[in-house]
Amino acid sequence: MTQVLHDVITRLLDAEIGPDGYIDTAVPGLTLMRTTLPTPPSHMQYRPKLCVVTQGAKQVLVADQTIAYGSGQAMIVTVEMPVVSQVVEAASEHPFTGLTLDLDAEIVLDVVTRLDSVSHLQGAAGLGLTVSVVEPQLEGALLRLLELVDQPHAVSILYPAIMRELAYWLLMGPAGRNVARMVLPEGQPQRIARAIAHLRQTFDAPVSIADLASLAGMSPSSFHHHFKTLTSISPLQYQKQIRLLEARRMMVTEGVNAGVAASAVGYESPSQFSREYARMFGAPPRRETQRARSDPARFATLESGRSEASSRA
């Protein structure tokens, strides 16, 4: 069903990169990617976006849930959450190929406010991550967006209209309710998003569940429940994963030692940092980062994961 989409992405990638890699296009938040090999698990921070696979397959671990999606499917992320992501199906003859597109909250909100009602939208309230088939209407809008990659002069004029069309079809799809709740000012996901933004800005400081709940306009027990429903983990676990992701980035990309990184992200005990780091990444800080630096493929995956934490999924 997405063969035309796959062919267009392949053409654009062939013009810019070799067999493996990605390109950040002139279209805001649109990234195209391809790899001929499965990738090791990579810890990263997903942000609201649309992720489409046109060939191969990917697997995402959220807390204790494993979510897989492959050719002709899309994953719609409507809340920030730490995940473990991995390409599980890729080969030189049939490389993993796909795209990611940031969801423009302002445009989504504009479309939501133009709907007669959101009560009829599909999807159940819950985890802010939905996998569905790429329907023809959504594929058509994506193809029109991809046309802008070769015409950057047209982006500022045509991008808003195409994104409104994309937002509409996402709202009409199986993730519609989650997409709407992502931007509705009084919706629970929007309240949780305020707390998540605060956690990201102050991840190196002690966290108070009462303060986060107050920021979200909820009681502590209600906040904890809704936070875990949306992200599959508790606020404290969320903060821990952000800290460890940032520490890993500092050690591998900036060359700082484990003690400096631990202190910078808010750990007072180096031994606690080492234990929690090993538990999350599978190896102590020193050994894991040395291996990443000595293994270009692994290092590239880490860098890709770091970029994906900020702009891709």
Side-chain angles (χ1 to χ4, degrees), residues 44-248:
M44 56 190 65
Q45 187 82 9
Y46 272 6
R47 297 187 179 182
K49 61 180 66 261
L50 170 69
C51 314
V52 175
V53 175
T54 62
Q55 186 167 268
K58 199 168 187 178
Q59 180 174 287
V60 175
L61 179 64
V62 184
D64 59 353
Q65 299 184 52
T66 300
I67 300 169
Y69 66 113
S71 179
Q73 292 183 305
M75 182 174 69
I76 303 99
V77 183
T78 54
V79 67
E80 291 190 35
M81 63 178 73
V83 304
V84 180
S85 180
Q86 180 179 18
V87 172
V88 293
E89 185 180 313
S92 56
E93 302 83 2
H94 297 93
F96 171 89
T97 309
L99 65 80
T100 66
L101 176 66
D102 291 347
L103 297 181
D104 190 312
E106 290 186 8
I107 290 179
V108 173
L109 179 59
D110 178 64
V111 176
V112 169
T113 58
R114 294 169 186 266
L115 298 176
D116 293 334
S117 170
V118 298
S119 61
H120 66 283
L121 298 181
Q122 300 180 50
L127 184 67
L129 193 158
T130 306
V131 171
S132 67
V133 172
V134 177
E135 298 292 348
Q137 299 94 328
L138 184 61
E139 181 180 10
L142 287 169
L143 287 169
R144 284 185 283 282
L145 199 65
L146 287 168
E147 289 177 3
L148 302 182
V149 174
D150 291 330
Q151 304 177 67
H153 58 280
V155 171
S156 62
I157 299 173
L158 299 179
Y159 166 84
I162 298 174
M163 284 300 295
R164 281 187 176 83
E165 182 184 357
L166 276 164
Y168 177 81
W169 292 121
L170 288 175
L171 286 162
M172 294 300 105
R177 187 164 298 176
N178 270 349
V179 174
R181 290 166 68 241
M182 178 185 77
V183 297
L184 292 175
E186 296 307 315
Q188 290 166 354
Q190 191 69 9
R191 295 183 184 185
I192 298 299
R194 290 200 295 268
I196 287 175
H198 180 75
L199 268 176
R200 289 183 59 79
Q201 293 166 4
T202 61
F203 65 86
D204 56 345
V207 62
S208 165
I209 299 301
D211 289 345
L212 291 174
S214 177
L215 190 63
M218 300 178 180
S219 68
S221 60
S222 178
F223 170 76
H224 191 278
H225 169 74
H226 290 298
F227 191 103
K228 194 165 185 179
T229 297
L230 280 169
T231 67
S232 286
I233 56 177
S234 72
L236 292 178
Q237 290 172 315
Y238 193 104
Q239 183 197 47
K240 181 190 299 183
Q241 293 199 23
I242 292 176
R243 285 180 167 183
L244 293 172
L245 283 168
E246 175 61 12
R248 190 189 199 204

